[in-house]
Amino acid sequence: MSETNELQAVSQPTTTSAIAAKGYAAMKVAENLQPFSFSRRSPRPHDVLVDILYCGVCHSDLHFVRNDWGMSLYPLVPGHEIVGRVSAIGDHVTKFKTGDLVGIGCMVDSCRECENCKQGIEQYCLNMPTFTYSMPERHGDGITYGGYSNKITCDEDFVLKVSDKLPLEKVAPLLCAGITTYSPLRHWKVEAGDKVGVAGLGGLGHMAIKFAASFGAEVTVLSTSPSKEADAKKLGAHKFVLTTDQEQLNTANNFDFILDTVSAPHDYNLYLGMLKTDGTMTCVGLPPAPAQVPIFTLAFQRRRLSASAIGGIAETQEMLDYCADNNITSDVEVIDIKDINRAYERMERSDVKYRFVIDMATI
Ligand code: NAP
Ligand code: ZN
Ligand code: ZN
């Protein structure tokens, strides 16, 4: 689409101090993404303005575009795996200066006052965190627009420091896929010698393998894609089980911990039955349909089923620092933003190796 045909934002009032931005948006539910012009707020005293360099493509972006979770607001500019460089700061900003490399993940604000915010688990803000896109702005009009765009304004408390030691395009997916897998592995204290299963080898799954293996666990990938076996091993997995093959399934048991990253409706019983006594399965995959949970499978081995959402800001910084220290990054396929709709089609077919990342220079 040519520049002149670009659609204009209707829901975001422009003020004289607003900054012109361009991005890609779904204008209506399930529509293809298309070029979209809108505005970002000029930095307030505690804001930083970021020139976006790369943005990862998360399966949640696709769930949102399709309104799978019934909470989407349009025009919808997805993207919450943002890496960029600070181009301006507000008068009271203390943590960042112009030129700094930074990251922004799934949240851009929270209430800051509730028990959970005070404990640094802003993702569980009792007054709802403000997600990076498709949510009403916490202070001001309009809705939040995500990282499939050239610029973003964000309060410094929700901005992360990014090391210059690692390739930036491979760092971007850490802001969601990284923290979403790191946080439950830490919370449930996965450590050396544990037997860990990772269900689903996509964006989250491949980061789960890397983290669990680096914590010293024995990692088994539970996948529906026979073509991913060699990659699973290269990523650090010790074993690969094709879950559509009964013989292979029989060898998958006695796990201390399973991380379920599957994006589509599936049978939870299959994985729960693989846990040892007192084992835990944490779901981070968020299929649109409710889960059918077999309590018998849990009760008779005192197994636990839990779920987890991203991670807090402090833990996200801890994870980024851990990755910089241990040379952990995402395996990415860098794309032109014009190819985003094709990337979604491939993601739907589980054909991602293992995260698409948009090069924002192509916008
Ligand atoms: P992804 O890259 O598309 O990977 C999902 C993987 O799930 C696929 O590669 C495939 O792996 C497996 N899969 C797909 N359909 C399946 C089916 N019908 N049965 C069994 N396995 C299937 O997606 P992602 O970006 O990693 O995200 C995964 C899920 O996590 C999404 O639902 C996303 O919204 C959610 N998410 C949650 C959080 C959170 O905070 N909780 C954060 C980010 C994302 P195989 O080919 O190996 O089978
Ligand atoms: Zn995500
Ligand atoms: Zn709060």
Side-chain angles (χ1 to χ4, degrees), residues 58-61 80-81 106 133 176-177 180 204 310 355:
C58 178
H59 205 113
S60 300
D61 300 346
H80 55 208
E81 294 185 334
C106 302
Y133 61 80
C176 175
T180 302
L204 268 56
I310 47 174
R355 198 58 142 187

Side-chain angles (χ1 to χ4, degrees), residues 110-114 117 125-127:
S110 71
C111 86
R112 329 273 185 111
E113 284 165 0
C114 73
C117 282
C125 172
L126 299 172
N127 300 303

Side-chain angles (χ1 to χ4, degrees), residues 183-306:
S183 183
L185 290 167
R186 285 297 197 209
H187 180 80
W188 293 101
K189 301 189 169 38
V190 167
E191 57 187 14
D194 283 351
K195 274 189 75 174
V196 169
V198 174
L201 180 39
L204 268 56
H206 93 291
M207 290 312 307
I209 299 173
K210 292 187 185 206
F211 286 130
S214 89
F215 301 163
E218 182 196 289
V219 183
T220 302
V221 170
L222 307 163
S223 172
T224 60
S225 303
S227 63
K228 294 181 183 172
E229 178 164 3
D231 286 344
K233 304 258 169 78
K234 268 189 240 152
L235 290 162
H238 305 87
K239 294 183 185 157
F240 180 91
V241 167
L242 184 62
T243 52
T244 50
D245 178 328
Q246 190 55 49
E247 245 175 65
Q248 293 193 36
L249 262 187
N250 295 340
T251 68
N253 51 45
N254 225 22
F255 290 114
D256 297 280
F257 184 80
I258 295 176
L259 194 68
D260 181 339
T261 77
V262 174
S263 53
H266 59 286
D267 179 10
Y268 291 83
N269 196 31
L270 178 75
Y271 305 122
L272 287 171
M274 299 175 186
L275 288 172
K276 71 192 233 187
T277 307
D278 283 326
T280 300
M281 176 158 109
T282 296
C283 297
V284 286
L286 297 169
Q292 298 288 315
V293 179
I295 299 302
F296 263 73
T297 316
L298 295 174
F300 284 90
Q301 293 299 327
R302 202 167 54 193
R303 294 164 169 139
R304 276 181 299 238
L305 175 62
S306 74

Side-chain angles (χ1 to χ4, degrees), residues 329-343:
T329 55
S330 174
D331 287 31
V332 304
E333 187 174 330
V334 176
I335 60 165
D336 187 309
I337 198 160
K338 288 176 201 68
D339 295 328
I340 186 62
N341 297 303
R342 247 171 295 169

